[in-house]
Amino acid sequence: MAVVSSPNSVPRERLARQAVAHRLRALNEYLAVYRATRASGSDAHSSQRIRELRSDVARLRAWGWYLSAKERGASWIPALQRLASVLSFFVSVNLVAQRRHPRGAALQHLSSYSLVERAYAALEDDTQGQLLTLRLAQMQRPALDYQRDIDILDARLADLAALRLNGLPEPGQVTLVCHVLRGVMAIGGALGFSFPPAQPVDS
Amino acid sequence: MEAIKQVLPLLDGMPRIFSLSDLKQAISEQESALDVALRWLEAGVIRQVAPARPIFYRVVLGEPLTDAERCAALLRTFPSVVMVAGSSLWRQGASVQKDAQLECCITEQQVDCSLPGVVLRSRPSEWWTVIRQAEGVVGNYHGVAMLTPEMAVADAAAFKDVWMPDRNGIDWTRLSTARLSVATEALAPLRMEELAE
């Protein structure tokens, strides 16, 4: 399907960052409830889930940092992209091996791509939910004119569909970017450098 | 009318609570999940759990949603959901008066919810930090985290926007005075902020 750019279109990097921020908020909300549950010592399952959620939040934050740096044209982005494209071959080989033997912690490599893709899909789903509400309201109250809002959401949906279909590098590269930047953020954070906020619900 | 009849068998095959993603998985590529959902919404056979959210429940006459279904819908729509007040007390056996509506708190300001028998309240994000630090959550009900009876009482006193049983309706022997004191003290700063606003 050809996607026609409309006056309501948003630049791809900005849209991707919105999707990441949107998903980070949801993950942080889940994390806040699981942490509260674990603090009372009433749910053994919580610890495992908290570890998974923390890993998801860290990788998604790293991807968000990559997107914002890319959008402002940071000088280190081309070097990171070259590194990712060179090393992604080894990650891809590793991923195939893990699919055959799916035990092991390194299975996370596969889900970095899924994590980012799911963030994009979640914003697309939420935008469709907004569109449904407006279209239904328009049907039920034809006297009120929601057409402009509907057009804006339609344009946003077209952008989001294009982002999800064409806006992601190959899985190996996403994995490498997420893991390299996650490490940098962890070390940099320990040394006192500031990075895009994690948007925690509880802190 | 014909259009809606064509997709009704598909609706019967959907779970009672489903998302737009679930619908996308269930339909053929020729159809648009958005169009199908819109037809169902217009016909009144499904409803959005909350306005603008891509989570739906099937409306079945004479078959109200069970607590498990309502909780599943809340968990899928509002990640921060925590059960509070009289709802939490009743489900832990600390109250003899049953709640008429399941009452929960979320981080969002927008608390509209079309689930029958569910009321949502908004809390500031610091509230989740406070309930964690004060160990104010105890287990869950169909997956929805519940406040401890002490925290439920303290929260109701601090925010005054939830339903609570009469004083005589609460089984005070099940509540710890020390924990109630800790919970009340923990929520006090949030109460001050509310009053200041």
Side-chain angles (χ1 to χ4, degrees), chain B residues 5-161:
Chain B
K5 275 184 184 169
Q6 283 172 8
V7 287
L8 278 180
L10 172 64
L11 178 64
D12 291 336
M14 296 302 291
R16 194 76 194 271
I17 310 294
F18 65 94
S19 66
L20 202 56
S21 303
D22 298 331
L23 184 57
K24 285 175 190 170
Q25 301 284 327
I27 62 175
S28 61
E29 283 180 11
Q30 287 81 27
E31 290 176 293
S32 153
L34 211 58
D35 290 341
V36 172
L38 187 60
R39 264 181 279 163
W40 285 349
L41 284 167
E42 198 188 359
V45 291
I46 64 168
R47 292 194 70 184
Q48 278 176 289
V49 168
R53 301 299 181 113
I55 312 291
F56 311 91
Y57 66 91
R58 287 195 292 121
V59 178
V60 183
L61 287 178
E63 261 186 58
L65 291 172
T66 63
D67 268 6
E69 288 163 343
R70 289 190 293 174
C71 288
L74 285 171
L75 283 167
R76 293 188 75 168
T77 313
F78 304 103
S80 61
V81 68
V82 175
M83 195 186 300
V84 296
S87 297
S88 180
L89 290 176
W90 164 256
R91 281 163 186 81
Q92 292 172 69
S95 160
V96 293
Q97 291 172 12
K98 188 179 186 311
D99 56 335
Q101 293 179 306
L102 190 68
E103 208 154 7
C104 296
C105 284
I106 56 171
T107 51
E108 279 102 318
Q109 299 287 316
Q110 180 64 261
V111 291
D112 291 346
C113 178
S114 62
L115 279 177
V118 172
V119 178
L120 296 177
R121 307 288 177 198
S122 180
R123 291 285 181 268
S125 57
E126 300 82 24
W127 187 82
W128 276 259
T129 308
V130 167
I131 60 166
R132 172 170 53 82
Q133 289 171 346
E135 300 182 4
V137 170
V138 57
N140 66 73
Y141 179 73
H142 295 300
V144 175
M146 287 188 293
L147 290 188
T148 58
E150 294 86 357
M151 186 57 86
V153 170
D155 173 74
F159 289 91
K160 296 183 170 53
D161 60 351

Side-chain angles (χ1 to χ4, degrees), chain A:
Chain A
M1 185 181 76
V3 177
V4 181
S5 179
S6 85
N8 295 320
S9 282
V10 176
R12 185 173 282 182
E13 261 76 31
R14 197 183 309 162
L15 198 61
R17 282 199 295 119
Q18 286 172 6
V20 167
H22 179 77
R23 188 66 186 152
L24 269 176
R25 177 164 178 84
L27 292 177
N28 276 315
E29 287 185 8
Y30 281 122
L31 190 55
V33 176
Y34 276 109
R35 287 179 73 196
T37 306
R38 187 185 62 174
S40 311
S42 48
D43 189 356
H45 167 69
S46 294
S47 296
Q48 171 65 22
R49 192 72 189 106
I50 287 168
R51 272 197 297 278
E52 290 166 5
L53 281 167
R54 280 194 172 135
S55 166
D56 289 354
V57 166
R59 284 179 295 152
L60 213 45
R61 269 186 79 199
W63 186 252
W65 183 31
Y66 168 73
L67 291 172
S68 62
K70 199 173 157 195
E71 196 180 20
R72 65 170 192 271
S75 56
W76 50 268
I77 285 290
L80 177 67
Q81 286 173 330
R82 270 198 301 277
L83 179 75
S85 61
V86 169
L87 294 180
S88 65
F89 168 76
F90 299 104
V91 175
S92 303
V93 170
N94 199 17
L95 288 176
V96 171
Q98 284 162 31
R99 277 186 211 122
R100 286 180 192 148
H101 307 284
R103 285 174 190 275
L107 195 64
Q108 276 188 347
H109 287 308
L110 185 62
S111 61
S112 283
Y113 182 84
S114 304
L115 187 69
V116 175
E117 193 186 33
R118 198 175 299 173
Y120 294 177
L123 186 59
E124 192 179 343
D125 280 353
D126 273 20
T127 307
Q128 287 177 328
Q130 292 168 23
L131 190 58
L132 278 174
T133 305
L134 275 184
R135 282 191 180 159
L136 188 66
Q138 185 69 90
M139 283 174 170
Q140 291 169 341
R141 292 185 286 273
L144 297 175
D145 187 9
Y146 293 108
Q147 198 51 51
R148 188 178 145 61
D149 294 330
I150 290 172
D151 288 345
I152 290 172
L153 285 178
D154 271 332
R156 188 172 167 81
L157 267 180
D159 290 342
L160 281 164
L163 176 70
R164 191 167 47 81
L165 293 173
N166 311 312
L168 274 171
E170 64 154 291
Q173 291 185 29
V174 176
T175 299
L176 269 161
V177 167
C178 285
H179 282 262
V180 168
L181 294 189
R182 178 190 177 175
V184 171
M185 288 174 97
I187 295 166
L191 294 173
F193 292 102
S194 62
F195 295 99
Q199 306 169 0
V201 172
D202 68 337
S203 50

